[in-house]
Amino acid sequence: MMLNKFQEQDLMGSVEHLESALECIDDENLPKVIKHINKAIVYIKNINPTLFNYPRVAKYINRKE
């Protein structure tokens, strides 16, 4: 799947929100971290909403024998 320039910008913005959240993790800033993470999740899901219409748990077949 190729992303258009707007989707790329949304993805980059989401990564920036996650990086910001990582930088300020401590007990005092926990609400700010949660806000950044939630914002990133919303941006990522809005890039291509159809990707997230599937069940939360994916089942994989393990071929090791």
Side-chain angles (χ1 to χ4, degrees), residues 42-56:
V42 168
Y43 285 156
I44 291 168
K45 284 186 173 183
N46 284 332
I47 291 172
N48 190 341
T50 58
L51 291 175
F52 299 96
N53 288 338
Y54 297 100
R56 287 187 169 274

Side-chain angles (χ1 to χ4, degrees), residues 23-38:
E23 290 173 2
C24 59
I25 292 178
D26 63 24
D27 290 339
E28 281 183 33
N29 292 322
L30 195 55
K32 186 177 180 181
V33 171
I34 292 169
K35 180 181 171 186
H36 280 291
I37 292 171
N38 283 332

Side-chain angles (χ1 to χ4, degrees), residues 1 3 6 9 22 28 32 40 47 54 59 63-64:
M1 172 181 108
L3 301 176
F6 300 109
Q9 290 172 353
L22 283 176
E28 281 183 33
K32 186 177 180 181
I47 291 172
Y54 297 100
K59 295 183 180 181
R63 293 288 178 179
K64 290 183 179 180

